[in-house]
Amino acid sequence: MEKRKFPATQAEALRQGVTYYFTGKPCKHGHLSERFAQNRNCRECLRIRNRNRTKKGYWADYGDERYKEHKRKNASKYYHTRAHKRAVRQRRFFEKHSRVATNKGVTELRRLRLEAQLLSIDTGVKHEIDHIIPLIHPMVCGLTVPANCQILTKEANRRKSKRFNQDEQSSIQMKLIKKKP
């Protein structure tokens, strides 16, 4: 729904049974966003708060064992649906058409991903594939090839983000050049 189609007041939104209303005035934090009809909270403020909580691991221990089992069961159901199969097919299509790595490199990247998953299972700490030279950065553009990938913990990967230290990378490259094959 577009903002102009939302009711203008909370009372009107409650009467219509709509979740949001839009006054056209910014909230106390300056967001010009729709508000929840039930509690008058700004939708953008809630989105930012939940994003910050996710970064700090707020949801890591969320729910009891019964809840987690319910989520696993639903994930398993989704795994066998057309939507999941279509998403996998689409991801593979884009991987294939945007690939820089050779077939051997693709196999190596899959091995790295599996190794990260095994590390996550073994240690209980989430591990991810990280690009040493970031894919998106104002100074450089990295590639998804095995030589540019490493396994880091999720926390370390988020901390590193898309940072790039040119001096550090230059020293690494100089060491590689000086090594005899």
Side-chain angles (χ1 to χ4, degrees):
M1 254 180 146
E2 293 177 1
K3 290 181 177 144
R4 59 180 149 69
K5 292 185 180 179
F6 286 117
T9 64
Q10 182 191 20
E12 193 177 327
L14 290 171
R15 194 171 29 258
Q16 291 178 8
V18 180
T19 309
Y20 306 107
Y21 68 99
F22 183 69
T23 61
K25 298 176 187 173
C27 71
K28 66 181 180 181
H29 298 289
H31 304 127
L32 189 61
S33 178
E34 54 273 357
R35 297 169 184 249
F36 288 94
Q38 291 295 323
N39 56 16
R40 298 183 185 162
N41 289 343
C42 170
R43 189 175 183 186
E44 185 66 16
C45 289
L46 179 73
R47 188 189 69 76
I48 291 168
R49 187 177 76 216
N50 282 339
R51 194 168 179 164
N52 290 336
R53 284 178 169 178
T54 303
K55 286 179 185 175
K56 294 176 185 172
Y58 181 85
W59 306 106
D61 298 324
Y62 183 76
D64 57 356
E65 200 53 44
R66 192 173 128 234
Y67 173 79
K68 289 178 183 177
E69 184 58 37
H70 171 73
K71 294 298 270 183
R72 280 188 211 105
K73 192 168 74 176
N74 283 346
S76 177
K77 279 184 193 174
Y78 174 72
Y79 181 75
H80 298 290
T81 63
R82 280 187 182 160
H84 173 70
K85 288 179 173 69
R86 185 176 58 242
V88 169
R89 196 169 47 246
Q90 190 175 18
R91 186 175 64 242
R92 285 186 182 148
F93 173 83
F94 285 118
E95 278 179 2
K96 181 179 175 187
H97 287 85
S98 64
R99 185 171 294 148
V100 179
T102 60
N103 287 338
K104 186 178 177 185
V106 171
T107 306
E108 182 66 20
L109 286 171
R110 284 192 183 133
R111 189 193 63 74
L112 278 171
R113 286 189 189 108
L114 285 172
E115 193 176 322
Q117 287 176 349
L118 287 172
L119 273 171
S120 297
I121 292 167
D122 290 345
T123 61
V125 177
K126 296 249 184 199
H127 285 75
E128 296 178 337
I129 300 295
D130 169 59
H131 291 83
I132 299 166
I133 298 173
L135 295 176
I136 300 170
H137 191 275
M139 292 171 46
V140 293
C141 178
L143 301 173
T144 305
V145 292
N148 190 34
C149 292
Q150 64 184 352
I151 297 174
L152 287 179
T153 62
K154 185 175 181 177
E155 184 181 326
N157 194 13
R158 296 296 183 273
R159 208 176 319 115
K160 178 185 175 256
S161 186
K162 58 180 181 181
R163 290 186 184 86
F164 175 74
N165 186 342
Q166 188 173 2
D167 297 331
E168 183 182 317
Q169 291 301 321
S170 296
S171 65
I172 291 170
Q173 289 173 355
M174 289 306 290
K175 287 177 188 174
L176 291 172
I177 290 171
K178 290 179 182 177
K179 282 186 182 178
K180 292 182 180 178

